[in-house]
Amino acid sequence: MNAKKVSESRIVNTAQVLSCDLNNYNTLFGGILMKKLDDAATLSARRHSRISECVTASTDSIDFLCPIHQTDSVCVESFVTYTGRTSMEIFCKVIAEDIMTGERRIAATAFLTFVALDENKKPVQVPGVIPETEEEIFLYNTAKERAEMRKLRRQKSKELAGYININKPWDN
């Protein structure tokens, strides 16, 4: 299986911020942005793997760096930065742009992991990636460390799950 350039998985989606997307502080709801990130990352995963079903395996973190206002456009850019045998790490960056002044700023970043599935819902192998730009090379070179942290976090989550009470609150 031939590796693909990172740029081949790049998705760019720009939208205006509508009043129905705002929270009590007149900034974009975090949940709205989370959906935009997952939508873009899904398309990056599918574009890279050319598999119709790619599922979110994890979201490492979404770091909200500055608020997004109704006077801003919100641009979500995503691309595959690293692959395992069946998994793909997707980096998402969110750029807010004040439509009146043209000022652009990084509003959020996130790393999501996706797995490509075959028609039997079994993980399938995905192509490797070829980073080209300074940004892509940096993200690629730092991906193994993130993958190790992800493994450790998943192990801890499974451990925690063993202690979580699943009874209905009124049955305790």
Side-chain angles (χ1 to χ4, degrees):
M1 183 171 286
N2 293 333
K4 294 182 176 181
K5 294 178 181 178
V6 168
S7 60
E8 293 180 59
S9 67
R10 191 175 306 271
I11 296 292
V12 178
N13 186 0
T14 304
Q16 64 182 337
V17 178
L18 302 173
S19 59
C20 61
D21 297 334
L22 301 176
N23 59 27
N24 298 7
Y25 305 102
N26 283 324
T27 60
L28 183 67
F29 266 116
I32 300 264
L33 185 58
M34 291 166 70
K35 182 181 183 324
K36 290 177 182 289
L37 292 168
D38 194 59
D39 287 348
T42 299
L43 290 173
S44 286
R46 290 179 64 194
R47 181 177 276 175
H48 180 78
S49 65
R50 293 298 175 195
I51 301 290
S52 64
E53 191 165 354
C54 292
V55 295
T56 310
S58 75
T59 301
D60 289 7
S61 65
I62 299 173
D63 296 312
F64 300 99
L65 303 174
C66 67
I68 300 171
H69 304 281
Q70 190 173 3
T71 55
D72 296 330
S73 68
V74 59
C75 176
V76 176
E77 186 176 332
S78 65
F79 48 91
V80 177
T81 53
Y82 190 76
T83 61
R85 195 178 72 72
T86 62
S87 65
M88 297 163 278
E89 177 190 78
I90 290 101
F91 174 67
C92 297
K93 61 182 170 182
V94 178
I95 300 168
E97 179 180 344
D98 185 303
I99 292 302
M100 302 309 293
T101 67
E103 176 209 355
R104 293 169 58 88
R105 61 199 183 280
I106 296 291
T109 60
F111 286 96
L112 293 86
T113 303
F114 280 73
V115 175
L117 302 177
D118 66 15
E119 58 279 348
N120 299 313
K121 311 292 187 213
K122 301 291 182 199
V124 295
Q125 188 173 355
V126 297
V129 294
I130 302 167
E132 297 178 296
T133 68
E134 183 179 350
E135 177 183 52
E136 293 168 357
I137 291 166
F138 174 80
L139 291 167
Y140 179 84
N141 287 339
T142 56
K144 282 189 182 187
E145 182 181 342
R146 286 189 301 277
E148 288 303 315
M149 291 173 62
R150 213 173 281 128
K151 266 186 205 173
L152 179 61
R153 193 181 72 244
R154 183 169 172 80
Q155 179 184 343
K156 294 291 185 185
S157 290
K158 284 182 176 184
E159 184 181 313
L160 172 64
Y163 291 95
I164 295 175
N165 180 345
I166 60 172
N167 298 328
K168 296 176 184 170
W170 52 87
D171 289 342
N172 286 333

